[in-house]
Amino acid sequence: MQIPMISSPLKQTNEIDWIAPLKHHIRSSYGDDPERYSEECAQLNRLRQDMRGAGKDSAAGRDLLYRYYGQLELLDLRFPVDENHIKISFTWFDAFTHKPTSQYSLAYEKASIIFNISAVLSCHAAFQNRHEDAGLKTAYHSFQASAGMFTYINENFLHAPSTDLSRETVKTLISIMLAQGQEVFIEKQVADGKKAGLLAKLASQAAYLYAQAVEGVQDNVSRAVFERVWLLFVQVKQHHVASLAQYYQAVADYDANNYGQAIARLQAGLTASKEAGRLANAFPGSVPSNSNLQSETGAILVDMVKKHTTAIQERITEYTRDNDMIYHQPVPSESSLPSIPKLPAAKAIPVSELYQGQDIQKIIGPDIFARIVPMSVTESASLYDEEKAKMVRAETERVEGADDELAASLDYLKLPGSLSILKGGLDENTMTVDDDFRNWCSDLAGHSPFDPTFTKLREERQDILTTLETCMKQLDMEESVCEKMRSKYSSEWTQQPSSRLTSTLRTDARSYRAAVEEASTSDAQLYSTCRQYESDFDEMRSAGETEEADVLYQRAMIKAGAGKKGVSSPSTANEGNLLDDDFADDSRQSVAEQIERVEELCRKLQLVKRERTQVLKDLKEKIHSDDISNVLILNKKATSGQESALFKTELEKFRPHQNRILQAMHKQASLIKELTRTYGDLLQDKRVRSDQNKYEAFSRQRNTVMSKYRKVYQAYTDLQQGLERARQFYSEMKETAESLEKNVQSFVENRRSEGGQLLAAIEAAKGSGADREQARLREMMDRMNVNASPHSSNSPSIPEHHPRSSSHRPPPLQPQSSYNSYQPMASPPATPQYQNGGIRSATNGAPYSNNYPQNNGFTSPSAYPPQPQHQRESSNYNPGSYGPVSPPAHQQYFSPPPATSSQPSTTHYSQQSQPGYGSAGWHPPPPPPGPPPVQDFGAVTGQGPSGAGGWAQDGRRGVQQQGQGQGDPWAGLSGWK
């Protein structure tokens, strides 16, 4: 008795009425008389009644279900069956739980029909007699077809309303059907005596599929969907086929001399077989009717497992004895055994392949509602038209490719032009001017000479270089003046050196000069090219203007040695030799016969080309007249999602035309091959070799002439483009050089103004220094006169005075705090306004005027009141500690800020701190006796010079000072660091 198989139960349904809803829709939507379609409605109703009684184990039942499904698909083209249009309640009972589910959706009706088709296929496979070869093949195909129909449900119907149509349940059924199909295939291979290695791979795949099925069945059993006997059944099958895989792999290993590994696999197979036996013994004696299993299933499974267990034990005994006595190979553990490769033999057959090779229209029958044409057919017809257009494009490209191949072959062989040389020398046509040459002469016609352009470029280049040279001279002059003043006034000339400030300007000027010099080299190359081809330009221009390009072309050909005088006709020059050769050897073909043969092959090729073109024309006309609207109505929904297959079938009607085009291409290829051989033999004939050499020499000379003038024309176009780029370059460079010149002039003017102010400050400081020296001498004399007074004991000691040089700055009033900041536009020092108890505030100070006192605001020594020691701090005077007084190198523009004037103007004083006394190593004498002043000179707010001889900024008031230069035209320079 054969091993049992699982089959799916069918869904049951209640009776419905199609007639009344369909007639109502025909009246309301199509506006037609519904009585005209009474027969069609009744026929559809009978189909559903017949489908309810379809047999579950016959091909007729399968076809009946498929016919009803096909008519539903065609019906869906014309009638929208849903809750909002044709409202019909479809009630189906769950195949496993028998719970009813009702919906108004036609998709639910179709999904239930597909489920029953799959169930019928599984039943048809399970009940086959697999001891016969036909039954074995039918079972193998039906299990795969059932899996394909179940797969179609999962791929096309979502949101299952019932359990049996859910994705998990259907997926489990697919695994079961594929596993059983694989098992049937193994039975066939065992019966055919295939090798053990192949059987092991097939069994390994079957075990994998059954393992997947066990997972799904367990889930469905836990949800009370499947019967529990299904779980026991697939578990027994899983362990059994796993044992089979180990058994056959052990036999293969033993044959491959892996005796220890074979014993280990037999032991693993025995373990799996014992587990299968345990589960088989637990199989119930009576099974539920809904399981589609027979009552003797458990006994058959037990007997199957026992036989296999016995076979394994016998093999273990045999292999162990041989290994112990002969081979002595170690037996590895089961966990260390390599896995057995899997070989799938069963796959889900798609719906489109289920009836492959059969006429679907015969199975489905004629379209019941063929007289009602739906709009969707037009859409499908447009898709089919696109497929036809693709075919036309493909065949057109194929024909054009063949034509191009023919043209290329004839051009390579220089046919038929070379035949005229062999028959009668060069024709008049061979000396005609080439079209490209004529076009080149036309392009050069009317072009003006290049010399004026080169002259203009030379002038522009010289202007740019002159501008750059002027800029460099101005910068050198400014730097020279600055350094001379620094040499004259030494440390008192605190203006920043020009080298740091002009580095960017000088770098730009040098880079611009380098660019211009590089452009000059390019200009020289263009000029050289112009001189090289100047005569050729004139010739071509003249030929183009006078339309005598052919004269120039022929003159060039004659000059190259290919004139008419150099070509003689073989009919006159070699006629005698050819006749002699013909009569000398009668067995050899004459030159005329060989030429005629070549011409005949050329005529055949042209004939094949015309025939191919005509076939393509006929194909286009037939495709244009093709209409498959009726076919689409009958088949589109029957093969839902498979329109491409239907189109492919319909396009087969054009296959004869495609074959004729293909045959013409093959014939052309053979003719080209024969032509190449025949023409090669002709050229090798010594009687025509001289003429061929003349033709080849003529061709070479022609190519030489064309190459020469092609090079001339290319030089002309390159020269035009190069001169245009040169004009653009010099135009841009001129603007750049002029911009640089403006920047240099602005910079030089700023430096000149700054130096003038610094020079004025130095001269003013020198004038006030003489007065302070006289005041100091008088103060010393006064101290010497009062040394005997009582106040002398309280006077602080004053360090010895060291005479300072004329380059030292006058002594400041307060300690110098910082020389790191620079205030632009140095102004003369302010005269402090002394009052009774202090200095007038900055807000009351008078603005800067030209009435600058020569004593720099200091009173005579006798007028000074004594000052406490804690208010007198000395600091060294360092001229180099003054901040920068000129803009930095990264500044690009030297114009004053927009809000100020470009001329220096009188500004208000910034808050400055008073400089400290003396220079390094010198201390001033003590002040005269009297009460000390209470003024804080650090709080004096007024204007003072920030350059040489002026006041340095107080670190406490540096922030305020930076914001008070708005009236200064060079206030923007204070931000340069």
Side-chain angles (χ1 to χ4, degrees):
M1 185 175 291
Q2 64 184 9
I3 301 174
M5 298 289 179
I6 289 180
S7 61
S8 172
L10 275 68
K11 294 171 68 69
Q12 302 299 322
T13 181
N14 289 337
E15 184 176 348
I16 65 168
D17 179 27
W18 276 107
I19 299 177
L22 290 179
K23 286 186 175 181
H24 176 72
H25 184 77
I26 292 173
R27 180 185 293 110
S28 60
S29 297
Y30 288 98
D32 202 351
D33 183 10
E35 297 303 325
R36 296 179 56 215
Y37 302 96
S38 297
E39 179 60 29
E40 287 87 344
C41 295
Q43 185 178 355
L44 180 63
N45 218 38
R46 287 194 300 270
L47 268 180
R48 194 176 193 281
Q49 294 292 341
D50 297 341
M51 174 272 301
R52 293 179 60 203
K56 65 179 182 179
D57 58 348
S58 64
R62 177 200 64 183
D63 292 343
L64 188 59
L65 288 167
Y66 200 81
R67 181 177 301 117
Y68 177 64
Y69 175 79
Q71 291 297 334
L72 290 181
E73 292 285 3
L74 295 174
L75 186 74
D76 197 19
L77 285 171
R78 302 172 174 86
F79 301 98
V81 182
D82 52 36
E83 190 173 359
N84 299 322
H85 299 89
I86 301 178
K87 193 173 182 180
I88 301 176
S89 178
F90 302 102
T91 301
W92 287 85
F93 296 90
D94 192 289
F96 301 101
T97 64
H98 306 290
K99 294 180 180 179
T101 302
S102 299
Q103 280 196 354
Y104 295 103
S105 172
L106 186 63
Y108 177 51
E109 175 86 351
K110 292 191 289 186
S112 300
I113 296 298
I114 292 293
F115 184 92
N116 277 357
I117 293 175
S118 302
V120 167
L121 288 170
S122 66
C123 294
H124 189 58
F127 294 144
Q128 290 295 318
N129 182 11
R130 300 196 302 277
H131 295 298
E132 299 177 356
D133 190 59
L136 199 63
K137 292 180 179 180
T138 301
Y140 175 62
H141 178 269
S142 297
F143 276 130
Q144 294 179 95
S146 177
M149 299 301 285
F150 280 128
T151 303
Y152 184 81
I153 294 175
N154 264 359
E155 291 177 351
N156 295 275
F157 299 99
L158 305 178
H159 312 294
S162 57
T163 306
D164 53 359
L165 294 177
S166 65
R167 298 186 64 85
E168 293 77 11
T169 302
V170 174
K171 185 178 179 181
T172 302
L173 293 174
I174 293 172
S175 299
I176 293 174
M177 298 307 155
L178 289 179
Q180 293 183 142
Q182 185 87 4
E183 186 179 0
V184 170
F185 188 79
I186 294 174
E187 292 179 356
K188 171 65 175 174
Q189 303 308 308
V190 171
D192 292 345
K194 298 296 182 181
K195 292 184 178 180
L198 175 64
L199 298 176
K201 295 177 181 179
L202 293 172
S204 177
Q205 174 67 14
Y208 171 74
L209 294 173
Y210 270 120
Q212 287 185 328
V214 166
E215 295 179 2
V217 172
Q218 283 179 338
D219 179 65
N220 282 276
V221 169
S222 63
R223 293 187 290 116
V225 178
F226 290 171
E227 298 291 343
R228 182 168 180 77
V229 292
W230 276 31
L231 178 59
L232 290 174
F233 184 87
V234 294
Q235 286 177 336
V236 170
K237 286 292 188 74
Q238 175 194 1
H239 293 292
H240 175 66
V241 294
S243 178
L244 281 176
Q246 296 290 352
Y247 174 79
Y248 288 121
Q249 187 62 42
V251 174
D253 291 342
Y254 188 84
D255 293 340
N257 300 327
N258 296 326
Y259 307 108
Q261 186 170 316
I263 295 173
R265 289 199 179 277
L266 287 175
Q267 293 173 352
L270 180 61
T271 302
S273 184
K274 288 181 179 179
E275 180 63 20
R278 184 185 67 80
L279 294 171
N281 289 326
F283 203 87
S286 60
V287 296
S289 59
N290 194 41
S291 64
N292 280 8
L293 292 175
Q294 299 176 358
S295 58
E296 63 270 13
T297 300
I300 296 175
L301 293 176
V302 170
D303 182 62
M304 171 191 70
V305 173
K306 283 184 178 179
K307 288 182 179 179
H308 181 62
T309 303
T310 302
I312 292 178
Q313 290 174 345
E314 291 176 355
R315 290 278 185 177
I316 289 177
T317 302
E318 177 185 354
Y319 289 177
T320 302
R321 183 179 64 252
D322 293 345
N323 188 55
D324 292 343
M325 297 179 63
I326 303 174
Y327 307 115
H328 304 288
Q329 290 186 3
V331 179
S333 62
E334 181 179 347
S335 60
S336 63
L337 291 175
S339 61
I340 302 174
K342 301 176 181 62
L343 180 62
K347 65 175 183 178
I349 299 178
V351 178
S352 59
E353 299 179 9
L354 181 58
Y355 288 94
Q356 192 172 14
Q358 304 181 41
D359 190 352
I360 299 179
Q361 187 173 355
K362 289 183 179 179
I363 298 175
I364 297 176
D367 187 0
I368 297 177
F369 296 94
R371 292 185 293 170
I372 300 177
V373 179
M375 289 297 298
S376 59
V377 171
T378 305
E379 299 176 1
S380 298
S382 65
L383 296 177
Y384 179 68
D385 290 341
E386 178 60 28
E387 294 296 325
K388 292 190 297 182
K390 289 180 181 179
M391 174 181 287
V392 171
R393 288 193 295 268
E395 296 303 322
T396 302
E397 291 177 0
R398 183 181 299 179
V399 170
E400 291 177 352
D403 293 343
D404 294 341
E405 181 182 357
L406 175 60
S409 299
L410 294 178
D411 182 68
Y412 173 76
L413 297 175
K414 301 175 184 178
L415 292 174
S418 59
L419 292 179
S420 61
I421 305 298
L422 300 179
K423 292 191 296 183
L426 294 175
D427 297 334
E428 295 293 332
N429 295 332
T430 58
M431 293 296 293
T432 57
V433 63
D434 193 273
D435 291 338
D436 290 339
F437 183 83
R438 192 182 301 276
N439 294 333
W440 296 338
C441 293
S442 299
D443 290 344
L444 263 70
H447 94 87
S448 57
F450 294 109
D451 289 339
T453 305
F454 281 107
T455 302
K456 184 178 179 181
L457 292 179
R458 193 177 305 109
E459 293 174 355
E460 291 180 356
R461 181 172 66 249
Q462 188 60 39
D463 293 343
I464 295 171
L465 292 175
T466 302
T467 302
L468 296 177
E469 184 66 26
T470 302
C471 292
M472 294 297 288
K473 287 182 178 179
Q474 289 181 353
L475 294 177
D476 292 340
M477 179 65 70
E478 188 280 328
E479 184 175 5
S480 175
V481 171
C482 178
E483 295 305 318
K484 286 181 179 179
M485 298 302 290
R486 193 184 315 280
S487 175
K488 179 178 180 180
Y489 294 103
S490 185
S491 60
E492 289 184 339
W493 188 263
T494 57
Q495 190 178 26
Q496 187 174 355
S498 300
S499 58
R500 290 177 53 192
L501 306 177
T502 60
S503 60
T504 301
L505 295 173
R506 292 180 183 275
T507 301
D508 291 342
R510 285 192 295 269
S511 63
Y512 297 159
R513 175 180 288 277
V516 172
E517 291 175 353
E518 184 177 355
S520 176
T521 304
S522 300
D523 295 346
Q525 294 176 357
L526 292 175
Y527 188 76
S528 174
T529 302
C530 179
R531 286 290 170 265
Q532 180 180 357
Y533 296 103
E534 186 173 13
S535 59
D536 296 324
F537 291 161
D538 294 338
E539 287 181 355
M540 295 181 71
R541 181 181 69 252
S542 176
E545 292 174 349
T546 59
E547 296 183 358
E548 295 181 351
D550 52 346
V551 176
L552 176 62
Y553 179 77
Q554 292 180 7
R555 187 163 61 245
M557 292 290 290
I558 294 173
K559 184 178 180 180
K564 293 182 178 179
K565 296 181 180 180
V567 180
S568 59
S569 173
S571 60
T572 59
N574 299 326
E575 184 175 359
N577 292 335
L578 291 176
L579 291 175
D580 293 342
D581 291 340
D582 289 342
F583 287 108
D585 188 0
D586 295 336
S587 62
R588 187 173 59 178
Q589 286 184 334
S590 64
V591 174
E593 291 176 347
Q594 296 182 62
I595 292 176
E596 183 179 357
R597 175 60 179 165
V598 172
E599 290 179 337
E600 181 183 358
L601 291 175
C602 291
R603 286 193 297 269
K604 287 183 178 180
L605 284 172
Q606 296 300 325
L607 182 62
V608 169
K609 179 181 178 180
R610 288 195 296 271
E611 179 184 358
R612 185 171 57 235
T613 304
Q614 184 61 38
V615 173
L616 179 62
K617 182 179 178 181
D618 295 341
L619 175 63
K620 290 180 178 179
E621 292 177 354
K622 186 173 182 180
I623 286 178
H624 181 71
S625 61
D626 183 37
D627 184 14
I628 62 166
S629 297
N630 294 330
V631 178
L632 288 173
I633 292 175
L634 293 174
N635 295 278
K636 185 177 186 301
K637 283 295 182 179
T639 55
S640 178
Q642 302 295 328
E643 288 86 355
S644 59
L646 175 62
F647 295 161
K648 184 177 180 180
T649 302
E650 290 298 321
L651 291 175
E652 285 296 320
K653 66 170 70 78
F654 307 114
R655 182 64 64 183
H657 291 77
Q658 293 176 293
N659 291 336
R660 289 175 61 187
I661 292 176
L662 191 62
Q663 291 172 2
M665 294 176 62
H666 291 326
K667 186 175 182 180
Q668 173 180 291
S670 62
L671 287 175
I672 289 177
K673 185 181 296 184
E674 184 179 358
L675 176 63
T676 304
R677 179 181 56 79
T678 304
Y679 187 66
D681 295 342
L682 175 62
L683 296 182
Q684 294 300 321
D685 196 320
K686 63 181 181 179
R687 294 169 294 181
V688 300
R689 195 173 302 164
S690 60
D691 295 325
Q692 180 65 18
N693 292 337
K694 290 181 181 180
Y695 179 74
E696 291 178 355
F698 170 79
S699 299
R700 286 194 300 269
Q701 292 158 356
R702 183 190 185 98
N703 293 336
T704 301
V705 171
M706 291 300 297
S707 176
K708 172 190 174 183
Y709 284 100
R710 183 180 292 107
K711 187 182 299 183
V712 172
Y713 180 74
Q714 184 64 38
Y716 169 75
T717 56
D718 293 345
L719 194 58
Q720 280 188 320
Q721 296 173 0
L723 290 176
E724 180 61 28
R725 288 194 295 267
R727 282 194 292 266
Q728 183 178 0
F729 169 78
Y730 284 123
S731 176
E732 296 176 355
M733 184 56 69
K734 184 176 182 181
E735 296 177 1
T736 303
E738 290 175 352
S739 177
L740 176 65
E741 184 179 21
K742 292 178 181 179
N743 291 342
V744 170
Q745 290 176 355
S746 178
F747 171 78
V748 172
E749 290 175 1
N750 290 345
R751 293 280 290 184
R752 192 172 299 162
S753 175
E754 184 182 25
Q757 295 179 19
L758 180 58
L759 181 60
I762 292 175
E763 295 296 334
K766 286 184 177 180
S768 62
D771 296 339
R772 285 195 296 271
E773 184 68 19
Q774 294 177 6
R776 183 181 62 80
L777 293 175
R778 286 195 297 270
E779 182 183 359
M780 292 179 63
M781 295 299 294
D782 292 342
R783 275 202 304 274
M784 292 174 63
N785 293 334
V786 297
N787 281 338
S789 63
H791 301 284
S792 61
S793 60
N794 296 329
S795 300
S797 60
I798 304 300
E800 183 182 356
H801 167 63
H802 299 277
R804 63 190 183 101
S805 63
S806 60
S807 62
H808 287 173
R809 295 169 53 91
L813 296 177
Q814 279 287 71
Q816 190 171 348
S817 60
S818 174
Y819 294 100
N820 294 328
S821 301
Y822 166 69
Q823 290 294 331
M825 287 304 298
S827 302
T831 303
Q833 301 295 328
Y834 293 98
Q835 296 178 357
N836 294 333
I839 300 177
R840 188 171 60 182
S841 64
T843 57
N844 298 328
Y848 169 77
S849 66
N850 294 327
N851 300 325
Y852 185 79
Q854 295 299 319
N855 59 2
N856 200 19
F858 293 102
T859 60
S860 62
S862 60
Y864 268 106
Q867 184 177 6
Q869 181 67 29
H870 68 276
Q871 292 186 1
R872 298 198 309 270
E873 298 178 3
S874 62
S875 61
N876 295 332
Y877 172 70
N878 183 12
S881 64
Y882 283 99
V885 295
S886 300
H890 58 76
Q891 183 71 18
Q892 297 183 2
Y893 301 96
F894 299 92
S895 301
T900 64
S901 171
S902 61
Q903 297 296 331
S905 62
T906 303
T907 58
H908 293 283
Y909 297 144
S910 301
Q911 293 180 358
Q912 302 285 349
S913 62
Q914 300 294 336
Y917 279 109
S919 59
W922 176 83
H923 298 278
V934 297
Q935 297 94 334
D936 181 9
F937 292 99
V940 174
T941 56
Q943 289 187 350
S946 57
W951 302 331
Q953 291 179 346
D954 187 356
R956 298 169 298 175
R957 307 186 183 275
V959 177
Q960 298 178 9
Q961 294 168 0
Q962 292 179 5
Q964 297 183 8
Q966 299 300 327
D968 189 352
W970 311 119
L973 302 179
S974 63
W976 298 359
K977 304 297 180 186

